Amino acid sequence: MPSHIYNAFPGPVQQYILKAALLQGKESIRAWESFKTQWDPDGILDGGSFRLLPLLYKNLLAQGCTDERMPMLKGIYKQAWCKNQQLFFDVQPLLEMLVTANIQPLLLKGIPLSILYYKDRGTRPMSDADILVPRPQARKAIDLLRKNHWIPENEAYLEYNLRYGKSMMFHKQKGFEFDLHWYPFFESAHQLYQDIFFENSREFILGGNSFRTLSAGDHLLHILVHGLKFNPEPPIRWIADAHQILCEAQEEIDWKRFLGLCEQFKVSLAIREALDYLVQTYQSPLPAEITQGLHQHPVSLTERWVHNYTISHSEDLPEAFFPRIQSLWINYLRLSPHRSLMRHLWGFLGYLRFRTRGKNYLKIMTYYLRRSLQKVRTYAF
Amino acid sequence: MNMDFQSRYSVNSPSVVYETIDGETILMNLANGFYFSFDGIGAVIWELLTQHASPKEIAGLLQNSAADVPVNVQENIVAFIEQLTDNNLLILDTDPASVFVSTEQSNALLSQAGPMNIPPKLFKYTDMKDVLLLDPIHEVDKRGWPEPRKD
């Protein structure tokens, strides 16, 4: 798949599914009828659309739809329900193990979203769990997991990930896997922000036990920042997730904090585009002053560049030299809390130094300058 | 198992989870990963059992709600409960505080039960690893997942 694809927002057919799954009454049924004319069940449906079908089923059922394809949709719902139930069950001993070791886990994304906002165990299919631990306890959590036979993915990148990343995947028996996060998303991956999500967390009940998750506003922010990125599997589920949060918990969101975090993480542009789209297309309930507030946030050229790049490019590093440098620079800018160019450049050198396993600054600068000159010469002559 | 028509039951939670969708109840025993389903009268009996109704009370409710209830309905209910308990989906509830109170919800349930003269049937799937891997669009029959396509 080419890396330059803008797929964070749905295409026309995907939008029919979303409208059929999120809207009510005639609008939902009309969108379903339009989707049906475009959907050949013997063909291939993209993964992003497929993941919306359980929600589509439940919404069509609520509208009294008796279409001949309902048994198939019901089967998709039932399969998602079974997989989710097993995941809810499997994650609990893991959470209890972390709590027993005095590590406070926060659940992110699918599991708390299903329970708190979808209020249904089958409408949001998920393949893994996401657990956030405080950054200072990340190493302790990793050691504990290893001791209990959890296997980290890409262990060679552990130190790099702890310093400049946000998470690491672990797996064990039966195919159960989860992402251990120490920051929810790249833009928050700095020690300045290591406590803010925990301070504002909320309780939720899983299997009769009390656990914690992000507050509704922080969850919305996480979903939007995470969703508005290029992903090989169309990430359009952010639309359903955000719509569910807004429908269920819009009133409990601390909007002042939300707007402040958008500015702090330099994601106002992305969030503004996302919320405008949700309100205009799905009538998601959102106070008008929030989008107005976002439109008043100053958006720097850097923020615009980072947003335009990340929404259309894979996180994998390109092979070619200049695109690779650009990608590294953007990756660094996403996690840099600074705003001045000099501080970005200095931080970027440290970032490159870490990636190149401790070569000194002079060697790094010499290497990249030499490679750049070589490339320029190749293009020029 | 010591069972009589007056016994009351509870869902074997937390290892058993269930949901009723469009008249069909689906269940998973998470301790062994087995999946179960039943519909029609079975789904109604299950719902009443989860509300601590005894077999005798369930039979009474069914007989009062429809004309096509077979005379051996109480035996059918007990046989169904035996299947549920044998599969550890349901456990005997000896708590004296567990009582059944007929509500509007339970009466509405009875009106949607469908034919009463078909004995409840429990469908059981134990090979869940394979069943969960089935493509729920292309590899299933008209009834949808988890029924595999025959061809």
Side-chain angles (χ1 to χ4, degrees), chain A residues 31 67 136 211 376:
Chain A
D67 192 277
F211 295 105
V376 170

Side-chain angles (χ1 to χ4, degrees), chain A residues 283-300:
Chain A
Q283 296 90 51
S284 305
L286 182 75
E289 59 268 27
I290 305 310
T291 44
Q292 284 163 10
L294 281 167
H295 279 271
Q296 282 161 10
H297 281 185
V299 176
S300 68

Side-chain angles (χ1 to χ4, degrees), chain A residues 235-258:
Chain A
I236 52 173
R237 183 162 60 184
W238 68 264
I239 296 160
D241 288 347
H243 183 79
Q244 289 300 130
I245 293 178
L246 288 169
C247 288
E248 292 294 328
Q250 180 269 110
E251 284 169 4
E252 70 182 71
I253 293 176
D254 177 351
W255 288 108
K256 195 177 166 196
R257 173 187 163 89
F258 181 87

Side-chain angles (χ1 to χ4, degrees), chain A residues 183 188-196 264 337-338:
Chain A
Y183 295 111
S188 66
H190 193 278
Q191 60 188 18
L192 282 172
Y193 312 129
Q194 65 189 18
D195 297 324
I196 58 170
Q264 203 168 356
H338 307 304

Side-chain angles (χ1 to χ4, degrees), chain A residues 41 43 58 74 77 79 81, chain B residues 19 24 35 132 134 136-138:
Chain A
K58 269 299 183 83
K74 184 179 183 182
Y77 173 86
Q79 189 192 48
W81 183 89
Chain B
E19 183 175 328
E24 178 187 4
Y35 171 78
L132 285 173
L134 273 181
I137 296 178
H138 302 105

Side-chain angles (χ1 to χ4, degrees), chain B residues 30 34 43 56 72 76 83 94 101-102 120 125 130 135 146:
Chain B
L30 297 161
F34 293 174
K56 191 177 176 184
N72 63 342
N76 285 347
Q83 289 184 67
T94 51
V101 182
S102 177
Y125 302 83
D130 291 336
D135 175 341

